PDB file of all heavy atoms in Angstrom:
ATOM      1  N   THR A 283       0.849  -1.320   0.081  1.00 95.00           N
ATOM      2  CA  THR A 283      -0.002  -0.094   0.019  1.00 95.00           C
ATOM      3  C   THR A 283       0.830   1.201  -0.064  1.00 95.00           C
ATOM      4  O   THR A 283       0.236   2.346   0.086  1.00 95.00           O
ATOM      5  CB  THR A 283      -0.920  -0.010   1.276  1.00 95.00           C
ATOM      6  OG1 THR A 283      -0.262  -0.223   2.488  1.00 95.00           O
ATOM      7  CG2 THR A 283      -1.906  -1.143   1.151  1.00 95.00           C
ATOM      8  N   HIS A 284       2.129   1.118  -0.008  1.00 93.00           N
ATOM      9  CA  HIS A 284       3.056   2.402  -0.076  1.00 93.00           C
ATOM     10  C   HIS A 284       4.067   2.114  -1.167  1.00 93.00           C
ATOM     11  O   HIS A 284       5.207   1.606  -0.945  1.00 93.00           O
ATOM     12  CB  HIS A 284       3.782   2.537   1.377  1.00 93.00           C
ATOM     13  CG  HIS A 284       2.818   2.934   2.412  1.00 93.00           C
ATOM     14  ND1 HIS A 284       2.086   2.007   3.036  1.00 93.00           N
ATOM     15  CD2 HIS A 284       2.656   4.142   3.074  1.00 93.00           C
ATOM     16  CE1 HIS A 284       1.285   2.652   4.031  1.00 93.00           C
ATOM     17  NE2 HIS A 284       1.692   3.879   4.041  1.00 93.00           N
ATOM     18  N   PRO A 285       3.695   2.476  -2.409  1.00 88.00           N
ATOM     19  CA  PRO A 285       4.552   2.187  -3.532  1.00 88.00           C
ATOM     20  C   PRO A 285       5.885   2.969  -3.488  1.00 88.00           C
ATOM     21  O   PRO A 285       6.825   2.633  -4.331  1.00 88.00           O
ATOM     22  CB  PRO A 285       3.655   2.493  -4.710  1.00 88.00           C
ATOM     23  CG  PRO A 285       2.622   3.617  -4.171  1.00 88.00           C
ATOM     24  CD  PRO A 285       2.470   3.152  -2.700  1.00 88.00           C
ATOM     25  N   ASN A 286       5.976   4.092  -2.864  1.00 91.00           N
ATOM     26  CA  ASN A 286       7.197   4.866  -2.876  1.00 91.00           C
ATOM     27  C   ASN A 286       8.108   4.444  -1.773  1.00 91.00           C
ATOM     28  O   ASN A 286       7.899   4.797  -0.659  1.00 91.00           O
ATOM     29  CB  ASN A 286       6.837   6.353  -2.751  1.00 91.00           C
ATOM     30  CG  ASN A 286       5.956   7.053  -3.721  1.00 91.00           C
ATOM     31  OD1 ASN A 286       6.291   6.621  -4.966  1.00 91.00           O
ATOM     32  ND2 ASN A 286       5.012   7.807  -3.463  1.00 91.00           N
ATOM     33  N   PHE A 287       9.089   3.511  -2.068  1.00 95.00           N
ATOM     34  CA  PHE A 287       9.853   2.889  -1.155  1.00 95.00           C
ATOM     35  C   PHE A 287      10.903   3.899  -0.634  1.00 95.00           C
ATOM     36  O   PHE A 287      11.362   4.643  -1.204  1.00 95.00           O
ATOM     37  CB  PHE A 287      10.617   1.710  -1.744  1.00 95.00           C
ATOM     38  CG  PHE A 287       9.654   0.782  -2.370  1.00 95.00           C
ATOM     39  CD1 PHE A 287       9.761   0.297  -3.673  1.00 95.00           C
ATOM     40  CD2 PHE A 287       8.671   0.281  -1.674  1.00 95.00           C
ATOM     41  CE1 PHE A 287       8.955  -0.622  -4.235  1.00 95.00           C
ATOM     42  CE2 PHE A 287       7.782  -0.725  -2.182  1.00 95.00           C
ATOM     43  CZ  PHE A 287       7.869  -1.098  -3.478  1.00 95.00           C
ATOM     44  N   ARG A 288      11.286   3.678   0.668  1.00 92.00           N
ATOM     45  CA  ARG A 288      12.179   4.528   1.434  1.00 92.00           C
ATOM     46  C   ARG A 288      13.368   3.504   1.844  1.00 92.00           C
ATOM     47  O   ARG A 288      13.129   2.482   2.115  1.00 92.00           O
ATOM     48  CB  ARG A 288      11.568   5.146   2.676  1.00 92.00           C
ATOM     49  CG  ARG A 288      10.475   6.235   2.225  1.00 92.00           C
ATOM     50  CD  ARG A 288       9.924   6.909   3.443  1.00 92.00           C
ATOM     51  NE  ARG A 288       9.390   5.831   4.518  1.00 92.00           N
ATOM     52  CZ  ARG A 288       9.033   6.180   5.695  1.00 92.00           C
ATOM     53  NH1 ARG A 288       9.329   7.368   6.146  1.00 92.00           N
ATOM     54  NH2 ARG A 288       8.573   5.244   6.373  1.00 92.00           N
ATOM     55  N   TYR A 289      14.430   4.177   1.977  1.00 95.00           N
ATOM     56  CA  TYR A 289      15.619   3.412   2.466  1.00 95.00           C
ATOM     57  C   TYR A 289      16.237   4.115   3.676  1.00 95.00           C
ATOM     58  O   TYR A 289      15.711   4.998   4.270  1.00 95.00           O
ATOM     59  CB  TYR A 289      16.614   3.217   1.335  1.00 95.00           C
ATOM     60  CG  TYR A 289      15.935   2.680  -0.021  1.00 95.00           C
ATOM     61  CD1 TYR A 289      15.603   3.544  -1.053  1.00 95.00           C
ATOM     62  CD2 TYR A 289      15.721   1.361  -0.155  1.00 95.00           C
ATOM     63  CE1 TYR A 289      14.973   3.054  -2.116  1.00 95.00           C
ATOM     64  CE2 TYR A 289      15.021   0.876  -1.182  1.00 95.00           C
ATOM     65  CZ  TYR A 289      14.627   1.680  -2.261  1.00 95.00           C
ATOM     66  OH  TYR A 289      14.052   1.146  -3.262  1.00 95.00           O
ATOM     67  N   SER A 290      17.438   3.680   4.002  1.00 94.00           N
ATOM     68  CA  SER A 290      18.106   4.163   5.286  1.00 94.00           C
ATOM     69  C   SER A 290      18.262   5.710   5.174  1.00 94.00           C
ATOM     70  O   SER A 290      18.548   6.273   4.155  1.00 94.00           O
ATOM     71  CB  SER A 290      19.450   3.580   5.354  1.00 94.00           C
ATOM     72  OG  SER A 290      19.386   2.224   5.547  1.00 94.00           O
ATOM     73  N   THR A 291      18.146   6.336   6.371  1.00 93.00           N
ATOM     74  CA  THR A 291      18.293   7.730   6.535  1.00 93.00           C
ATOM     75  C   THR A 291      19.885   8.119   6.631  1.00 93.00           C
ATOM     76  O   THR A 291      20.152   9.328   6.838  1.00 93.00           O
ATOM     77  CB  THR A 291      17.598   8.237   7.711  1.00 93.00           C
ATOM     78  OG1 THR A 291      18.120   7.629   8.936  1.00 93.00           O
ATOM     79  CG2 THR A 291      16.070   8.066   7.563  1.00 93.00           C
ATOM     80  N   PHE A 292      20.690   7.164   6.623  1.00 94.00           N
ATOM     81  CA  PHE A 292      22.154   7.273   6.791  1.00 94.00           C
ATOM     82  C   PHE A 292      22.890   6.572   5.555  1.00 94.00           C
ATOM     83  O   PHE A 292      22.205   5.771   4.816  1.00 94.00           O
ATOM     84  CB  PHE A 292      22.583   6.742   8.073  1.00 94.00           C
ATOM     85  CG  PHE A 292      22.171   5.201   8.338  1.00 94.00           C
ATOM     86  CD1 PHE A 292      22.887   4.189   8.013  1.00 94.00           C
ATOM     87  CD2 PHE A 292      20.884   5.073   8.934  1.00 94.00           C
ATOM     88  CE1 PHE A 292      22.436   3.027   8.114  1.00 94.00           C
ATOM     89  CE2 PHE A 292      20.456   3.652   9.147  1.00 94.00           C
ATOM     90  CZ  PHE A 292      21.261   2.678   8.689  1.00 94.00           C
ATOM     91  N   LYS A 293      24.138   6.742   5.490  1.00 93.00           N
ATOM     92  CA  LYS A 293      24.859   6.075   4.445  1.00 93.00           C
ATOM     93  C   LYS A 293      25.076   4.686   5.005  1.00 93.00           C
ATOM     94  O   LYS A 293      25.897   4.404   5.857  1.00 93.00           O
ATOM     95  CB  LYS A 293      26.232   6.762   4.319  1.00 93.00           C
ATOM     96  CG  LYS A 293      26.982   6.286   3.005  1.00 93.00           C
ATOM     97  CD  LYS A 293      28.285   7.072   2.906  1.00 93.00           C
ATOM     98  CE  LYS A 293      29.115   6.386   1.693  1.00 93.00           C
ATOM     99  NZ  LYS A 293      30.364   7.260   1.453  1.00 93.00           N
ATOM    100  N   ASN A 294      24.475   3.698   4.303  1.00 96.00           N
ATOM    101  CA  ASN A 294      24.517   2.306   4.777  1.00 96.00           C
ATOM    102  C   ASN A 294      25.753   1.580   4.110  1.00 96.00           C
ATOM    103  O   ASN A 294      25.564   1.105   2.902  1.00 96.00           O
ATOM    104  CB  ASN A 294      23.103   1.657   4.415  1.00 96.00           C
ATOM    105  CG  ASN A 294      23.053   0.254   5.081  1.00 96.00           C
ATOM    106  OD1 ASN A 294      23.872  -0.157   5.836  1.00 96.00           O
ATOM    107  ND2 ASN A 294      21.855  -0.380   4.883  1.00 96.00           N
ATOM    108  N   THR A 295      26.677   1.561   4.785  1.00 95.00           N
ATOM    109  CA  THR A 295      27.885   0.916   4.305  1.00 95.00           C
ATOM    110  C   THR A 295      28.339  -0.344   5.207  1.00 95.00           C
ATOM    111  O   THR A 295      27.676  -0.521   6.191  1.00 95.00           O
ATOM    112  CB  THR A 295      29.155   1.892   4.264  1.00 95.00           C
ATOM    113  OG1 THR A 295      29.132   2.559   5.646  1.00 95.00           O
ATOM    114  CG2 THR A 295      28.937   3.064   3.392  1.00 95.00           C
ATOM    115  N   GLU A 296      29.334  -1.040   4.822  1.00 95.00           N
ATOM    116  CA  GLU A 296      29.642  -2.237   5.634  1.00 95.00           C
ATOM    117  C   GLU A 296      30.233  -1.914   6.892  1.00 95.00           C
ATOM    118  O   GLU A 296      29.773  -2.534   7.946  1.00 95.00           O
ATOM    119  CB  GLU A 296      30.836  -2.988   4.744  1.00 95.00           C
ATOM    120  CG  GLU A 296      31.221  -4.345   5.539  1.00 95.00           C
ATOM    121  CD  GLU A 296      32.235  -5.134   4.719  1.00 95.00           C
ATOM    122  OE1 GLU A 296      32.621  -4.679   3.708  1.00 95.00           O
ATOM    123  OE2 GLU A 296      32.481  -6.230   5.158  1.00 95.00           O
ATOM    124  N   GLY A 297      31.020  -0.728   7.002  1.00 95.00           N
ATOM    125  CA  GLY A 297      31.517  -0.327   8.400  1.00 95.00           C
ATOM    126  C   GLY A 297      30.836   0.949   8.794  1.00 95.00           C
ATOM    127  O   GLY A 297      29.932   1.614   8.115  1.00 95.00           O
ATOM    128  N   ALA A 298      31.274   1.396   9.943  1.00 95.00           N
ATOM    129  CA  ALA A 298      30.719   2.601  10.491  1.00 95.00           C
ATOM    130  C   ALA A 298      31.191   3.824   9.718  1.00 95.00           C
ATOM    131  O   ALA A 298      32.364   3.824   9.023  1.00 95.00           O
ATOM    132  CB  ALA A 298      31.157   2.784  11.930  1.00 95.00           C
ATOM    133  N   ASP A 299      30.523   4.904   9.713  1.00 95.00           N
ATOM    134  CA  ASP A 299      30.955   6.231   9.077  1.00 95.00           C
ATOM    135  C   ASP A 299      32.168   6.703   9.805  1.00 95.00           C
ATOM    136  O   ASP A 299      32.046   6.625  11.127  1.00 95.00           O
ATOM    137  CB  ASP A 299      29.808   7.212   9.293  1.00 95.00           C
ATOM    138  CG  ASP A 299      30.044   8.532   8.463  1.00 95.00           C
ATOM    139  OD1 ASP A 299      31.289   8.984   8.462  1.00 95.00           O
ATOM    140  OD2 ASP A 299      29.113   9.144   8.007  1.00 95.00           O
ATOM    141  N   PRO A 300      33.299   6.960   9.253  1.00 95.00           N
ATOM    142  CA  PRO A 300      34.479   7.438   9.867  1.00 95.00           C
ATOM    143  C   PRO A 300      34.230   8.660  10.804  1.00 95.00           C
ATOM    144  O   PRO A 300      34.937   8.915  11.837  1.00 95.00           O
ATOM    145  CB  PRO A 300      35.407   7.861   8.791  1.00 95.00           C
ATOM    146  CG  PRO A 300      34.917   6.984   7.640  1.00 95.00           C
ATOM    147  CD  PRO A 300      33.546   6.930   7.779  1.00 95.00           C
ATOM    148  N   ALA A 301      33.151   9.502  10.601  1.00 94.00           N
ATOM    149  CA  ALA A 301      32.888  10.611  11.321  1.00 94.00           C
ATOM    150  C   ALA A 301      32.117  10.304  12.586  1.00 94.00           C
ATOM    151  O   ALA A 301      31.939  11.180  13.459  1.00 94.00           O
ATOM    152  CB  ALA A 301      31.970  11.630  10.545  1.00 94.00           C
ATOM    153  N   THR A 302      31.578   9.120  12.747  1.00 96.00           N
ATOM    154  CA  THR A 302      30.857   8.647  13.878  1.00 96.00           C
ATOM    155  C   THR A 302      31.766   8.280  15.007  1.00 96.00           C
ATOM    156  O   THR A 302      32.634   7.356  14.866  1.00 96.00           O
ATOM    157  CB  THR A 302      29.946   7.544  13.619  1.00 96.00           C
ATOM    158  OG1 THR A 302      28.944   7.907  12.611  1.00 96.00           O
ATOM    159  CG2 THR A 302      29.043   7.164  14.888  1.00 96.00           C
ATOM    160  N   LYS A 303      31.670   8.826  16.254  1.00 97.00           N
ATOM    161  CA  LYS A 303      32.530   8.573  17.304  1.00 97.00           C
ATOM    162  C   LYS A 303      31.758   7.495  18.206  1.00 97.00           C
ATOM    163  O   LYS A 303      30.609   7.544  18.474  1.00 97.00           O
ATOM    164  CB  LYS A 303      32.879   9.735  18.197  1.00 97.00           C
ATOM    165  CG  LYS A 303      33.585  10.753  17.358  1.00 97.00           C
ATOM    166  CD  LYS A 303      33.848  12.003  18.350  1.00 97.00           C
ATOM    167  CE  LYS A 303      34.695  13.056  17.628  1.00 97.00           C
ATOM    168  NZ  LYS A 303      34.960  14.213  18.450  1.00 97.00           N
ATOM    169  N   PHE A 304      32.485   6.452  18.669  1.00 97.00           N
ATOM    170  CA  PHE A 304      32.021   5.472  19.514  1.00 97.00           C
ATOM    171  C   PHE A 304      32.768   5.485  20.877  1.00 97.00           C
ATOM    172  O   PHE A 304      34.061   5.741  20.896  1.00 97.00           O
ATOM    173  CB  PHE A 304      32.157   4.083  18.920  1.00 97.00           C
ATOM    174  CG  PHE A 304      31.277   3.780  17.730  1.00 97.00           C
ATOM    175  CD1 PHE A 304      31.759   4.161  16.474  1.00 97.00           C
ATOM    176  CD2 PHE A 304      30.080   3.361  17.864  1.00 97.00           C
ATOM    177  CE1 PHE A 304      31.017   3.998  15.285  1.00 97.00           C
ATOM    178  CE2 PHE A 304      29.206   3.121  16.849  1.00 97.00           C
ATOM    179  CZ  PHE A 304      29.668   3.420  15.499  1.00 97.00           C
ATOM    180  N   ILE A 305      31.974   5.226  21.908  1.00 96.00           N
ATOM    181  CA  ILE A 305      32.602   5.291  23.264  1.00 96.00           C
ATOM    182  C   ILE A 305      32.734   3.822  23.771  1.00 96.00           C
ATOM    183  O   ILE A 305      31.721   3.043  23.803  1.00 96.00           O
ATOM    184  CB  ILE A 305      31.655   6.041  24.257  1.00 96.00           C
ATOM    185  CG1 ILE A 305      31.462   7.509  23.814  1.00 96.00           C
ATOM    186  CG2 ILE A 305      32.245   5.935  25.649  1.00 96.00           C
ATOM    187  CD1 ILE A 305      30.361   8.150  24.508  1.00 96.00           C
ATOM    188  N   ASP A 306      33.915   3.347  24.123  1.00 92.00           N
ATOM    189  CA  ASP A 306      34.089   2.078  24.681  1.00 92.00           C
ATOM    190  C   ASP A 306      34.309   2.215  26.251  1.00 92.00           C
ATOM    191  O   ASP A 306      34.022   1.257  27.014  1.00 92.00           O
ATOM    192  CB  ASP A 306      35.225   1.346  24.087  1.00 92.00           C
ATOM    193  CG  ASP A 306      36.599   2.052  24.055  1.00 92.00           C
ATOM    194  OD1 ASP A 306      36.643   3.195  24.600  1.00 92.00           O
ATOM    195  OD2 ASP A 306      37.543   1.541  23.578  1.00 92.00           O
ATOM    196  N   ASN A 307      34.897   3.331  26.697  1.00 95.00           N
ATOM    197  CA  ASN A 307      35.086   3.568  28.140  1.00 95.00           C
ATOM    198  C   ASN A 307      33.796   4.171  28.617  1.00 95.00           C
ATOM    199  O   ASN A 307      33.845   5.246  29.226  1.00 95.00           O
ATOM    200  CB  ASN A 307      36.248   4.444  28.322  1.00 95.00           C
ATOM    201  CG  ASN A 307      36.694   4.483  29.784  1.00 95.00           C
ATOM    202  OD1 ASN A 307      36.268   3.512  30.571  1.00 95.00           O
ATOM    203  ND2 ASN A 307      37.412   5.409  30.328  1.00 95.00           N
ATOM    204  N   PHE A 308      32.640   3.360  28.639  1.00 94.00           N
ATOM    205  CA  PHE A 308      31.423   4.074  28.934  1.00 94.00           C
ATOM    206  C   PHE A 308      31.272   4.185  30.528  1.00 94.00           C
ATOM    207  O   PHE A 308      31.994   3.551  31.311  1.00 94.00           O
ATOM    208  CB  PHE A 308      30.240   3.211  28.518  1.00 94.00           C
ATOM    209  CG  PHE A 308      30.238   1.809  28.573  1.00 94.00           C
ATOM    210  CD1 PHE A 308      29.950   1.145  29.835  1.00 94.00           C
ATOM    211  CD2 PHE A 308      30.749   0.910  27.624  1.00 94.00           C
ATOM    212  CE1 PHE A 308      30.052  -0.220  30.121  1.00 94.00           C
ATOM    213  CE2 PHE A 308      30.824  -0.438  27.853  1.00 94.00           C
ATOM    214  CZ  PHE A 308      30.485  -0.997  29.025  1.00 94.00           C
ATOM    215  N   LYS A 309      30.310   4.896  30.906  1.00 94.00           N
ATOM    216  CA  LYS A 309      30.023   5.099  32.262  1.00 94.00           C
ATOM    217  C   LYS A 309      28.866   4.281  32.782  1.00 94.00           C
ATOM    218  O   LYS A 309      27.771   4.183  32.076  1.00 94.00           O
ATOM    219  CB  LYS A 309      29.706   6.609  32.711  1.00 94.00           C
ATOM    220  CG  LYS A 309      30.884   7.496  32.399  1.00 94.00           C
ATOM    221  CD  LYS A 309      30.526   8.988  32.679  1.00 94.00           C
ATOM    222  CE  LYS A 309      31.624   9.902  32.420  1.00 94.00           C
ATOM    223  NZ  LYS A 309      31.361  11.351  32.651  1.00 94.00           N
ATOM    224  N   SER A 310      28.916   3.743  34.017  1.00 96.00           N
ATOM    225  CA  SER A 310      27.906   2.968  34.594  1.00 96.00           C
ATOM    226  C   SER A 310      28.081   2.834  36.104  1.00 96.00           C
ATOM    227  O   SER A 310      29.219   3.127  36.591  1.00 96.00           O
ATOM    228  CB  SER A 310      27.775   1.615  33.987  1.00 96.00           C
ATOM    229  OG  SER A 310      26.780   0.764  34.568  1.00 96.00           O
ATOM    230  N   ALA A 311      27.069   2.431  36.813  1.00 97.00           N
ATOM    231  CA  ALA A 311      27.207   2.049  38.169  1.00 97.00           C
ATOM    232  C   ALA A 311      27.581   0.556  38.099  1.00 97.00           C
ATOM    233  O   ALA A 311      27.238  -0.103  37.064  1.00 97.00           O
ATOM    234  CB  ALA A 311      26.055   2.241  39.084  1.00 97.00           C
ATOM    235  N   TYR A 312      28.115  -0.085  39.139  1.00 98.00           N
ATOM    236  CA  TYR A 312      28.639  -1.536  39.052  1.00 98.00           C
ATOM    237  C   TYR A 312      28.239  -2.233  40.325  1.00 98.00           C
ATOM    238  O   TYR A 312      28.377  -1.666  41.492  1.00 98.00           O
ATOM    239  CB  TYR A 312      30.081  -1.591  38.790  1.00 98.00           C
ATOM    240  CG  TYR A 312      30.443  -1.145  37.293  1.00 98.00           C
ATOM    241  CD1 TYR A 312      30.527   0.259  37.150  1.00 98.00           C
ATOM    242  CD2 TYR A 312      30.651  -2.119  36.454  1.00 98.00           C
ATOM    243  CE1 TYR A 312      31.008   0.563  35.815  1.00 98.00           C
ATOM    244  CE2 TYR A 312      31.002  -1.700  35.183  1.00 98.00           C
ATOM    245  CZ  TYR A 312      31.212  -0.320  34.928  1.00 98.00           C
ATOM    246  OH  TYR A 312      31.487   0.120  33.568  1.00 98.00           O
ATOM    247  N   TYR A 313      27.873  -3.455  40.139  1.00 97.00           N
ATOM    248  CA  TYR A 313      27.823  -4.420  41.234  1.00 97.00           C
ATOM    249  C   TYR A 313      28.944  -5.290  41.143  1.00 97.00           C
ATOM    250  O   TYR A 313      29.441  -5.817  40.210  1.00 97.00           O
ATOM    251  CB  TYR A 313      26.544  -5.270  40.992  1.00 97.00           C
ATOM    252  CG  TYR A 313      26.494  -6.584  41.814  1.00 97.00           C
ATOM    253  CD1 TYR A 313      25.703  -6.762  42.931  1.00 97.00           C
ATOM    254  CD2 TYR A 313      27.172  -7.752  41.256  1.00 97.00           C
ATOM    255  CE1 TYR A 313      25.701  -8.013  43.632  1.00 97.00           C
ATOM    256  CE2 TYR A 313      27.051  -9.016  41.999  1.00 97.00           C
ATOM    257  CZ  TYR A 313      26.240  -9.122  43.051  1.00 97.00           C
ATOM    258  OH  TYR A 313      26.255 -10.251  43.765  1.00 97.00           O
ATOM    259  N   ILE A 314      29.788  -5.292  42.394  1.00 97.00           N
ATOM    260  CA  ILE A 314      31.011  -5.992  42.445  1.00 97.00           C
ATOM    261  C   ILE A 314      30.979  -6.986  43.588  1.00 97.00           C
ATOM    262  O   ILE A 314      30.774  -6.537  44.767  1.00 97.00           O
ATOM    263  CB  ILE A 314      32.194  -5.193  42.589  1.00 97.00           C
ATOM    264  CG1 ILE A 314      32.243  -4.155  41.372  1.00 97.00           C
ATOM    265  CG2 ILE A 314      33.554  -5.921  42.518  1.00 97.00           C
ATOM    266  CD1 ILE A 314      33.329  -3.107  41.485  1.00 97.00           C
ATOM    267  N   ARG A 315      31.071  -8.275  43.357  1.00 96.00           N
ATOM    268  CA  ARG A 315      30.964  -9.291  44.420  1.00 96.00           C
ATOM    269  C   ARG A 315      32.303  -9.951  44.675  1.00 96.00           C
ATOM    270  O   ARG A 315      33.062 -10.400  43.762  1.00 96.00           O
ATOM    271  CB  ARG A 315      29.981 -10.358  44.178  1.00 96.00           C
ATOM    272  CG  ARG A 315      29.930 -11.400  45.285  1.00 96.00           C
ATOM    273  CD  ARG A 315      28.647 -12.184  45.380  1.00 96.00           C
ATOM    274  NE  ARG A 315      28.348 -13.055  44.204  1.00 96.00           N
ATOM    275  CZ  ARG A 315      28.833 -14.389  44.088  1.00 96.00           C
ATOM    276  NH1 ARG A 315      29.213 -15.054  45.142  1.00 96.00           N
ATOM    277  NH2 ARG A 315      28.562 -15.013  42.998  1.00 96.00           N
ATOM    278  N   LEU A 316      32.837  -9.812  45.843  1.00 95.00           N
ATOM    279  CA  LEU A 316      34.205 -10.315  46.267  1.00 95.00           C
ATOM    280  C   LEU A 316      34.027 -11.561  47.159  1.00 95.00           C
ATOM    281  O   LEU A 316      33.073 -11.643  47.992  1.00 95.00           O
ATOM    282  CB  LEU A 316      35.008  -9.301  46.980  1.00 95.00           C
ATOM    283  CG  LEU A 316      35.178  -7.886  46.322  1.00 95.00           C
ATOM    284  CD1 LEU A 316      36.085  -7.030  47.261  1.00 95.00           C
ATOM    285  CD2 LEU A 316      35.671  -8.000  44.952  1.00 95.00           C
ATOM    286  N   ASP A 317      35.043 -12.413  47.041  1.00 91.00           N
ATOM    287  CA  ASP A 317      35.191 -13.599  47.935  1.00 91.00           C
ATOM    288  C   ASP A 317      36.516 -13.018  48.790  1.00 91.00           C
ATOM    289  O   ASP A 317      37.582 -13.206  48.373  1.00 91.00           O
ATOM    290  CB  ASP A 317      35.413 -14.862  47.277  1.00 91.00           C
ATOM    291  CG  ASP A 317      35.691 -16.039  48.178  1.00 91.00           C
ATOM    292  OD1 ASP A 317      35.057 -16.070  49.323  1.00 91.00           O
ATOM    293  OD2 ASP A 317      36.390 -16.950  47.861  1.00 91.00           O
ATOM    294  N   ALA A 318      36.230 -12.640  50.081  1.00 87.00           N
ATOM    295  CA  ALA A 318      37.374 -12.055  50.844  1.00 87.00           C
ATOM    296  C   ALA A 318      37.708 -12.773  52.075  1.00 87.00           C
ATOM    297  O   ALA A 318      36.861 -13.555  52.655  1.00 87.00           O
ATOM    298  CB  ALA A 318      36.841 -10.693  51.243  1.00 87.00           C
ATOM    299  N   HIS A 319      38.918 -12.547  52.411  1.00 82.00           N
ATOM    300  CA  HIS A 319      39.465 -13.234  53.701  1.00 82.00           C
ATOM    301  C   HIS A 319      38.682 -12.618  54.857  1.00 82.00           C
ATOM    302  O   HIS A 319      38.587 -11.328  54.790  1.00 82.00           O
ATOM    303  CB  HIS A 319      40.934 -12.973  53.797  1.00 82.00           C
ATOM    304  CG  HIS A 319      41.736 -13.931  52.912  1.00 82.00           C
ATOM    305  ND1 HIS A 319      41.790 -15.278  52.900  1.00 82.00           N
ATOM    306  CD2 HIS A 319      42.488 -13.636  51.818  1.00 82.00           C
ATOM    307  CE1 HIS A 319      42.581 -15.773  52.109  1.00 82.00           C
ATOM    308  NE2 HIS A 319      42.952 -14.739  51.375  1.00 82.00           N
ATOM    309  N   ASP A 320      38.325 -13.245  55.962  1.00 76.00           N
ATOM    310  CA  ASP A 320      37.644 -12.779  57.048  1.00 76.00           C
ATOM    311  C   ASP A 320      38.609 -12.328  58.025  1.00 76.00           C
ATOM    312  O   ASP A 320      38.904 -13.002  58.984  1.00 76.00           O
ATOM    313  CB  ASP A 320      36.688 -13.763  57.597  1.00 76.00           C
ATOM    314  CG  ASP A 320      35.898 -13.141  58.726  1.00 76.00           C
ATOM    315  OD1 ASP A 320      35.657 -11.957  58.811  1.00 76.00           O
ATOM    316  OD2 ASP A 320      35.336 -13.902  59.541  1.00 76.00           O
ATOM    317  N   LYS A 321      39.281 -11.159  57.774  1.00 79.00           N
ATOM    318  CA  LYS A 321      40.313 -10.709  58.686  1.00 79.00           C
ATOM    319  C   LYS A 321      40.355  -9.221  58.738  1.00 79.00           C
ATOM    320  O   LYS A 321      39.865  -8.568  57.733  1.00 79.00           O
ATOM    321  CB  LYS A 321      41.648 -11.262  58.450  1.00 79.00           C
ATOM    322  CG  LYS A 321      42.212 -10.951  57.078  1.00 79.00           C
ATOM    323  CD  LYS A 321      43.555 -11.664  56.792  1.00 79.00           C
ATOM    324  CE  LYS A 321      44.123 -11.178  55.430  1.00 79.00           C
ATOM    325  NZ  LYS A 321      45.410 -11.912  55.106  1.00 79.00           N
ATOM    326  N   ALA A 322      41.016  -8.630  59.764  1.00 78.00           N
ATOM    327  CA  ALA A 322      41.035  -7.136  59.687  1.00 78.00           C
ATOM    328  C   ALA A 322      41.852  -6.633  58.562  1.00 78.00           C
ATOM    329  O   ALA A 322      42.742  -7.154  58.147  1.00 78.00           O
ATOM    330  CB  ALA A 322      41.712  -6.780  61.125  1.00 78.00           C
ATOM    331  N   GLY A 323      41.385  -5.349  58.116  1.00 82.00           N
ATOM    332  CA  GLY A 323      42.192  -4.660  57.061  1.00 82.00           C
ATOM    333  C   GLY A 323      41.776  -4.892  55.698  1.00 82.00           C
ATOM    334  O   GLY A 323      42.186  -4.280  54.723  1.00 82.00           O
ATOM    335  N   VAL A 324      40.880  -6.005  55.503  1.00 87.00           N
ATOM    336  CA  VAL A 324      40.435  -6.238  54.188  1.00 87.00           C
ATOM    337  C   VAL A 324      39.604  -5.254  53.558  1.00 87.00           C
ATOM    338  O   VAL A 324      39.900  -4.789  52.465  1.00 87.00           O
ATOM    339  CB  VAL A 324      39.659  -7.671  54.158  1.00 87.00           C
ATOM    340  CG1 VAL A 324      39.082  -7.758  52.791  1.00 87.00           C
ATOM    341  CG2 VAL A 324      40.565  -8.872  54.488  1.00 87.00           C
TER     342      VAL A 324
END
């Protein structure tokens, strides 16, 4: 029912656009579970 086909709003290439920046050192809160020695100073 929609004969006028649309395609990507971006340049659809195999890899990312070189101008696009990606963050790998992202920010988050974290749950950290330790198995610790039961002694003073730990």
Side-chain angles (χ1 to χ4, degrees):
T283 56
H284 292 74
N286 296 319
F287 302 128
R288 295 181 301 167
Y289 306 102
S290 297
T291 59
F292 52 90
K293 188 176 181 181
N294 193 357
T295 52
E296 182 175 5
D299 187 328
T302 302
K303 296 180 180 179
F304 290 89
I305 300 170
D306 57 359
N307 190 22
F308 48 82
K309 294 179 180 179
S310 177
Y312 291 80
Y313 161 100
I314 303 173
R315 178 160 68 97
L316 308 182
D317 183 31
H319 289 292
D320 186 22
K321 61 182 182 181
V324 169

